[in-house]
Amino acid sequence: MLKPDFDDIFMDLAVSLAKRSHCIKAQVGAVLAKDTRIISIGYNGPPAGTHNCDEEFPEVGCERDSKGSCSLALHAEQNAILYAAKNGASIEGATIYVTLSPCIACARIIFSMKIKKVIFLDSYAQYKGIPKDEGVEFLRKFGVEVVQYKKKREEAA
């Protein structure tokens, strides 16, 4: 029986975590891992203890900023990185698995935290209807490996 690859396990977990999001516009999950071990997890939403968009603004979602993004939420990558940092976990050299490629703001944080690799499922640019993945381009320009996820091993029948 073939064992699942860790990339598959971590991306499957990121996809599952995205379902925890209270955002009514997009659900994004992230897993921060190093040497086959999970450091931290996250999904997009407002800071803990504030509110849940799907409960407080069920019809329209929360207020939008000038770029049309949620003005209240942290992105999945931000939540995973912040939780790890808050708890003193070593992030340098880690890989982050995320269901949507990083926006430019998240890319700057990923680079600054010395995360070495980003594996993403879907394109942020395609989701937002913008011409290019600025976050992906930024990370690649400064030496961070960024790859779009492709399942490595199919489930054994």
Side-chain angles (χ1 to χ4, degrees), residues 118-136:
V118 176
I119 300 176
F120 71 92
L121 184 59
D122 296 317
S123 163
Y124 179 80
Q126 192 171 32
Y127 163 72
K128 292 296 272 185
I130 56 178
K132 60 184 179 174
D133 270 306
E134 297 169 316
V136 170

Side-chain angles (χ1 to χ4, degrees), residues 72-144:
L72 304 173
L74 293 167
H75 289 189
E77 305 95 314
Q78 293 169 337
N79 270 322
I81 291 166
L82 286 168
Y83 186 82
K86 177 179 167 183
N87 289 291
S90 173
I91 297 170
E92 187 172 343
T95 297
I96 192 162
Y97 298 80
V98 64
T99 58
L100 200 59
S101 61
C103 68
I104 189 67
C106 286
R108 289 189 293 256
I109 293 168
I110 288 165
F111 177 77
S112 296
M113 296 303 291
K114 296 184 172 36
I115 292 170
K116 72 172 183 176
K117 187 173 184 179
V118 176
I119 300 176
F120 71 92
L121 184 59
D122 296 317
S123 163
Y124 179 80
Q126 192 171 32
Y127 163 72
K128 292 296 272 185
I130 56 178
K132 60 184 179 174
D133 270 306
E134 297 169 316
V136 170
E137 288 183 6
F138 172 88
L139 290 166
R140 287 179 176 154
K141 178 179 180 179
F142 293 105
V144 176

Side-chain angles (χ1 to χ4, degrees), residues 33-72:
K34 188 175 184 181
D35 302 326
T36 72
R37 301 289 181 213
I38 295 171
I39 297 170
S40 184
I41 59 173
Y43 50 89
N44 62 317
T50 58
H51 70 276
N52 291 322
C53 297
D54 59 346
E55 295 166 2
E56 193 167 328
F57 315 106
E59 321 267 306
V60 295
C62 60
E63 190 175 315
R64 300 279 154 206
D65 65 18
S66 62
K67 293 182 180 178
S69 296
C70 176
S71 62
L72 304 173

